[in-house]
Amino acid sequence: NMEKGKDGLFKRMGGEEGVGVFMDRIYDLIQVDNRIKSFFQGKNYQAIKEGQRVYLTELLGGPKIYKGKDLVEIHKTVGLTDYHFDCFLGNAEKALSGLGLEDETIDEVVVSMEPVRAALMNRAQGLAAHAKQVDGQSVLERIGGDQNVEAIVETMYGGCLGDPRVRYYFEVNKEKITTIKQKMVALMVGGFGGPVTYDDSKMRQIHYKMNVTDYHFDAVL
């Protein structure tokens, strides 16, 4: 995790002790939250909390010490929805705020926790190119290749410039617009089954301070 540059967040959280206090605060809130407390009633409350503490220690940049079951396996029969996960994140924000952490750190913690959502909902993640093939053809082949991807990006970018919901993110100088379009094309070509030339591991870092929400992403789609 230190190699990924997340150890700074872990340190700002107060290390393992800080994460432990964070979990204590969250569970204090969960116990009185009628929206989600039923998921924990009749369960080994302390064991669940300890497991989450260890998992979050690693997720937030601490030592890789989680040796528990896969999250999908644990939650496959729980019946969680996006609403329940949003309630949990809301409690996390309250707990972090109560600890006196800066808004930027709170946002970074919440952003780091967001990818867990798909596992808790048992949603498919990261479909490989071969899983997207139909009659032996990739998505890229079925939509007509790279040139059609470029046309898609051109149309999409023009639509975003005319959309007041997301225009702010796309109104930049011409040189930067060209670079953004090129990266979009590279990302889509790789995602559609073509050559992978764009390192998508940098996307979170690039977009972190832009305050992009589901609302904005849905508008782009």
Side-chain angles (χ1 to χ4, degrees), residues 11-112:
K11 291 175 181 176
R12 294 198 302 277
M13 285 286 297
E16 291 190 45
E17 183 178 351
V19 174
V21 174
F22 171 44
M23 292 308 304
D24 287 340
R25 294 288 184 90
I26 287 180
Y27 274 84
D28 286 344
L29 293 168
I30 288 174
Q31 285 182 314
V32 295
D33 190 336
N34 292 326
R35 302 170 298 175
I36 57 175
K37 68 180 183 181
S38 61
F39 289 106
F40 301 89
Q41 291 173 339
K43 306 292 193 307
N44 188 334
Y45 197 78
Q46 290 301 321
I48 293 173
K49 183 168 74 169
E50 176 60 16
Q52 290 190 354
R53 182 195 67 77
V54 174
Y55 184 84
L56 283 177
T57 293
E58 182 174 325
L59 182 70
L60 300 177
K64 296 183 178 182
I65 55 178
Y66 182 73
K67 295 180 173 59
K69 293 182 180 179
D70 179 74
L71 292 186
V72 173
E73 179 67 23
I74 295 171
H75 296 89
K76 65 181 180 180
T77 60
V78 176
L80 293 173
T81 67
D82 286 302
Y83 170 75
H84 300 125
F85 188 67
D86 288 341
C87 292
F88 183 88
L89 287 183
N91 285 324
E93 289 189 63
K94 289 180 183 177
L96 291 164
S97 180
L99 292 173
L101 295 174
E102 295 182 356
D103 289 344
E104 183 176 336
T105 299
I106 294 174
D107 289 344
E108 192 172 347
V109 171
V110 173
V111 167
S112 297

Side-chain angles (χ1 to χ4, degrees), residues 86 114 117 160 162-170 210-221:
D86 288 341
E114 178 61 37
R117 181 188 299 268
C160 290
D163 189 333
R165 297 173 297 175
V166 293
R167 181 189 302 138
Y168 165 80
Y169 298 106
F170 295 88
M210 294 173 66
N211 293 320
V212 177
T213 67
D214 287 334
Y215 171 78
H216 300 119
F217 187 71
D218 290 343
V220 172
L221 289 180

Side-chain angles (χ1 to χ4, degrees), residues 163-178:
D163 189 333
R165 297 173 297 175
V166 293
R167 181 189 302 138
Y168 165 80
Y169 298 106
F170 295 88
E171 288 184 326
V172 293
N173 63 63
K174 290 184 178 180
E175 183 178 336
K176 191 168 185 179
I177 286 176
T178 299

